[in-house]
Amino acid sequence: MPRGTRDGMAGGAAEQRRLAAVVEGWLGRPVLVVGDAMLDEWRFAESDRLCREAPAPVLTLRRRISAAGGAANTAVNVAALGGRAVLVAPVGADVAGDELHDCLDRAGVWDRTVAQPGRPTPVKRRMLAGNQILLREDSGDADDALDDDGVARLLTALDCATEELRAAGGEAPTLVVCDYGLGALSAAVRAWLVTHRERYATVALDAHDLADWRGLAPTVVTPSFAEATRLLARAAGTRPAPGAGLHLDHPDGDPADGPSELTVGVSPGGTLAHHAAHRPGPTNPTGEPTAGEGRVAMTGDGLTVTGTGVTVNATAGEGVDRAVLAESRLAELRAHTGADVVAVTLDTEGAVVGGADGEPRRSHSTPVPASHAVGAGDAYLAAMTLALAADAPLPTAAQLAQLAATITVSDTGTCVCRREDLLVALDAPVGRAGHRALVGTDELAAIVAEHRRAGRAIVFTNGCFDVLHRGHVRYLEQARALGDLLVVAVNSDGSVRRLKGPDRPVNPVEDRIALLAALVCVDHVVVFEEDSPAELIETVRPDVYVKGGDYPPEMVPEAPLVRRLGGQVRTLGYVPDRSTSAIIDRIRAHGQEPHEDTSLTPEPS
């Protein structure tokens, strides 16, 4: 192999190790997410005929999925990437709100949302046939603003969550603001965040309307191309004095339109070349069209924007490279937002990122169906924020953010990037070397939720495992073969004493879990204090619950609970004459046998 090729491969491997080290370094970092939380609902249907009343397809619903959306999905991504995520947001006292709470619990997000009776939880409902989104129904808008009591309770929750994170992590937490114009972040809430800015080490801002947030001085802002264009158009002719705040008046008829989504690809069935060849005319603009808004025109040189709306006219500035335009205006965007870093997302074209050094960084994405890219911007924001909070250099943060957004778009649904998937994409070890077998109950719930979202079957078993022997190993190997993830719950020392007597356990829990964690067939070990694993079963909701013994599953005490939760119960026989009690009895019997005094017997040569 030529030396240059070897050097290039070595350099690439070193770069991936460096990126992986950043991912490992942000593990457990405290992040407070505040803003507009919503529920994403996906309805998958089939259609093979048109209805008689109109030329419309008749849909038969086959499957329904709910997921956290908006600020809630950003918090879920922070947790999935390994951060310690807390969400503060108003949530309605309704069915959608209950589902959103469940989504947060499954993801391991600390749910500090504030109930708002009479104010519905924002929902985005998508109806699909095949892989094509046929329609989207949105509920929740800026008219659902919080009342004075709701604002007061939200501010209290913000203050308490900030202190809770500081106390838990021993450092100033990171703040992520997700303002999608749905009423969660009123002027009073924005003023509170600006006033208390010094309580947060790193601040990330994703706002539909950046003009509202100049006083926040965020570390990073992540506008879409259309959001950045809106800000520049409003600021035309206005230059902020050094150190002075900038307020841009909102023009009449400039409505909020909810969260933007980073589209990492093109629409179903299309390609980049196809879309370039069939560029829509003035009646079908690109960007983020919003009813009732004017258009922003780009000139042919790619450097000028005019107008007050957010919709980019596709025919104005024909052939203009949006990346070139974004790069040329990064300094202005930093000045108008007060941010250290500006990352302008460019849909199918990736992103352009700029910092204080004035050097633009370019990243690229992979074309995918639009239904695969919902929420990819949340993954981008979460990874960018965690990387900057971990003091990663800006080029590294930009690389990890784009990678996180890109690897989430493999299937239809709301995008979530898992830490393990990010490490796999970096060719980093995520097996035994990068795998923490011993986990707590809260962390286990998040881990199981991630695997379940990926369609993996969860197997659960429990026991004392006082003296690990061949029978245990075969039993655990058989249990692991029944699914994709094996969770072993181990009785604490106190629990073992209550079950087995005062002379047990022989080995303390630290030794018992260390041996179990060393087995390749065991994915995660969790300790429980109770005599029964019922609470853990409620948390894990296993697909398969396994017990050792030759009796039928109906005799397992936990069987009714497991079946009520939708799982099945299996019993596996032990290896004959291999049991902890029998081994302990033999050892004790051996210790009590008289031994010949061999102190004077010469040792064999």
Side-chain angles (χ1 to χ4, degrees), residues 79-350:
L81 287 167
R84 181 180 298 161
V86 177
L87 176 65
V88 174
V91 174
D94 50 19
V95 173
D98 292 342
E99 290 193 55
L100 183 54
H101 291 307
D102 290 341
C103 292
L104 297 174
D105 290 342
R106 290 195 300 268
V109 175
W110 293 8
D111 186 351
R112 302 298 182 264
T113 56
V114 178
Q116 299 290 333
R119 182 180 187 271
T121 302
V123 180
K124 291 186 177 294
R125 298 181 179 89
R126 297 170 177 86
M127 178 68 78
L128 301 90
N131 203 31
Q132 174 68 54
I133 297 178
L134 301 181
L135 60 89
R136 192 181 86 183
E137 176 194 3
D138 291 3
S139 62
D141 53 44
D143 293 334
D144 296 327
L146 303 182
D147 57 23
D148 291 343
D149 178 65
V151 170
R153 289 189 293 118
L154 190 69
L155 292 179
T156 299
L158 269 173
D159 185 54
C160 293
T162 301
E163 289 307 308
E164 182 181 22
L165 276 178
R166 179 183 286 275
E171 58 183 329
T174 293
L175 174 69
V176 179
V177 180
C178 301
D179 182 8
Y180 304 136
L182 296 179
L185 298 170
S186 64
V189 177
R190 296 197 301 270
W192 189 95
L193 291 170
V194 170
T195 300
H196 294 271
R197 168 64 176 85
E198 73 282 353
R199 297 173 68 178
Y200 308 99
T202 302
V203 175
L205 173 64
D206 182 20
H208 171 70
D209 197 337
L210 292 166
D212 287 332
W213 292 96
R214 177 62 175 86
L216 185 63
T219 309
V220 57
V221 294
T222 59
S224 67
F225 179 77
E227 289 163 350
T229 304
R230 167 195 274 132
L231 184 67
L232 291 173
R234 289 180 180 169
T238 305
R239 295 292 181 269
L246 171 67
H247 175 73
L248 302 177
D249 291 331
H250 293 216
D252 294 336
D254 183 21
D257 65 358
S260 61
E261 296 166 354
L262 170 66
T263 302
V264 188
V266 299
S267 59
T271 64
L272 292 177
H274 170 84
H275 282 259
H278 299 82
R279 191 182 299 270
T283 58
N284 187 14
T286 61
E288 292 178 7
T290 303
E293 290 192 314
R295 301 209 177 163
V296 175
M298 296 187 297
T299 61
D301 61 8
L303 301 178
T304 305
V305 290
T306 59
T308 58
V310 297
T311 305
V312 177
N313 188 331
T315 58
E318 188 78 24
V320 167
D321 189 334
R322 293 192 303 164
V324 172
L325 174 59
E327 288 178 5
S328 69
R329 311 303 289 274
L330 285 174
E332 289 178 71
L333 289 169
R334 289 185 63 246
H336 292 321
T337 60
D340 297 329
V341 175
V342 173
V344 181
T345 56
L346 303 171
D347 307 321
T348 60
E349 301 164 47

Side-chain angles (χ1 to χ4, degrees), residues 4 10 60 65 132 166 192 209 223 254 285 290 292 313 336 352 360 372 470 473 490 510 513 518 541 575 586 604:
T60 302
I65 296 176
Q132 174 68 54
R166 179 183 286 275
W192 189 95
D209 197 337
D254 183 21
T290 303
N313 188 331
H336 292 321
V352 172
H372 289 195
R470 175 187 168 194
V473 174
V490 180
E510 293 83 3
I513 61 178
R541 305 174 71 90
V575 175
R586 286 200 300 271

Side-chain angles (χ1 to χ4, degrees), residues 170-543:
E171 58 183 329
T174 293
L175 174 69
V176 179
V177 180
C178 301
D179 182 8
Y180 304 136
L182 296 179
L185 298 170
S186 64
V189 177
R190 296 197 301 270
W192 189 95
L193 291 170
V194 170
T195 300
H196 294 271
R197 168 64 176 85
E198 73 282 353
R199 297 173 68 178
Y200 308 99
T202 302
V203 175
L205 173 64
D206 182 20
H208 171 70
D209 197 337
L210 292 166
D212 287 332
W213 292 96
R214 177 62 175 86
L216 185 63
T219 309
V220 57
V221 294
T222 59
S224 67
F225 179 77
E227 289 163 350
T229 304
R230 167 195 274 132
L231 184 67
L232 291 173
R234 289 180 180 169
T238 305
R239 295 292 181 269
L246 171 67
H247 175 73
L248 302 177
D249 291 331
H250 293 216
D252 294 336
D254 183 21
D257 65 358
S260 61
E261 296 166 354
L262 170 66
T263 302
V264 188
V266 299
S267 59
T271 64
L272 292 177
H274 170 84
H275 282 259
H278 299 82
R279 191 182 299 270
T283 58
N284 187 14
T286 61
E288 292 178 7
T290 303
E293 290 192 314
R295 301 209 177 163
V296 175
M298 296 187 297
T299 61
D301 61 8
L303 301 178
T304 305
V305 290
T306 59
T308 58
V310 297
T311 305
V312 177
N313 188 331
T315 58
E318 188 78 24
V320 167
D321 189 334
R322 293 192 303 164
V324 172
L325 174 59
E327 288 178 5
S328 69
R329 311 303 289 274
L330 285 174
E332 289 178 71
L333 289 169
R334 289 185 63 246
H336 292 321
T337 60
D340 297 329
V341 175
V342 173
V344 181
T345 56
L346 303 171
D347 307 321
T348 60
E349 301 164 47
V352 172
V353 182
D357 59 5
E359 184 70 25
R361 279 93 181 174
R362 184 78 169 85
S363 62
H364 298 271
S365 60
T366 303
V368 297
S371 60
H372 289 195
V374 174
D378 303 327
Y380 185 97
L381 175 63
M384 172 69 79
T385 302
L386 286 168
L388 292 176
D391 297 322
L394 181 55
T396 298
Q399 281 180 273
L400 288 171
Q402 188 64 63
L403 181 60
T406 301
I407 66 178
T408 63
V409 296
S410 60
D411 199 1
T412 297
T414 304
C415 295
V416 175
C417 182
R418 299 167 59 246
R419 175 174 168 271
E420 293 82 358
D421 294 336
L422 196 55
L423 290 172
V424 167
L426 294 169
D427 290 331
V430 292
R432 309 315 296 181
H435 171 84
R436 285 201 317 113
L438 178 62
V439 295
T441 302
D442 291 341
E443 187 178 0
L444 177 62
I447 291 170
V448 167
E450 293 170 6
H451 284 281
R452 183 158 284 124
R453 281 195 297 270
R456 303 184 181 109
I458 312 300
V459 182
F460 181 94
T461 190
N462 63 278
C464 300
F465 300 98
D466 193 1
V467 177
L468 196 65
H469 53 74
R470 175 187 168 194
H472 285 139
V473 174
R474 195 182 86 164
Y475 164 76
L476 292 171
E477 288 175 341
Q478 291 175 334
R480 180 61 172 79
L482 297 174
D484 303 302
L485 185 83
L486 175 60
V487 176
V488 180
V490 180
N491 295 77
S492 68
D493 290 347
S495 178
V496 174
R497 279 191 290 271
R498 291 191 298 272
L499 293 172
K500 301 290 185 179
D503 59 344
R504 299 281 298 274
V506 173
N507 291 307
V509 70
E510 293 83 3
D511 294 349
R512 292 184 281 130
I513 61 178
L515 290 174
L516 286 168
L519 297 177
V520 174
C521 59
V522 175
D523 293 291
H524 294 289
V525 181
V526 61
V527 179
F528 66 101
E529 297 287 342
E530 302 79 15
D531 295 342
S532 166
E535 288 191 19
L536 272 174
I537 292 173
E538 290 268 13
T539 298
V540 175
R541 305 174 71 90
D543 299 285

Side-chain angles (χ1 to χ4, degrees), residues 553-579:
E554 290 72 21
M555 294 183 62
V556 175
E558 296 81 9
L561 172 61
V562 174
R563 294 196 175 101
R564 178 170 63 80
L565 296 173
Q568 58 175 300
V569 180
R570 296 285 299 273
T571 56
L572 302 175
Y574 290 124
V575 175
D577 299 324
R578 297 291 190 276
S579 75

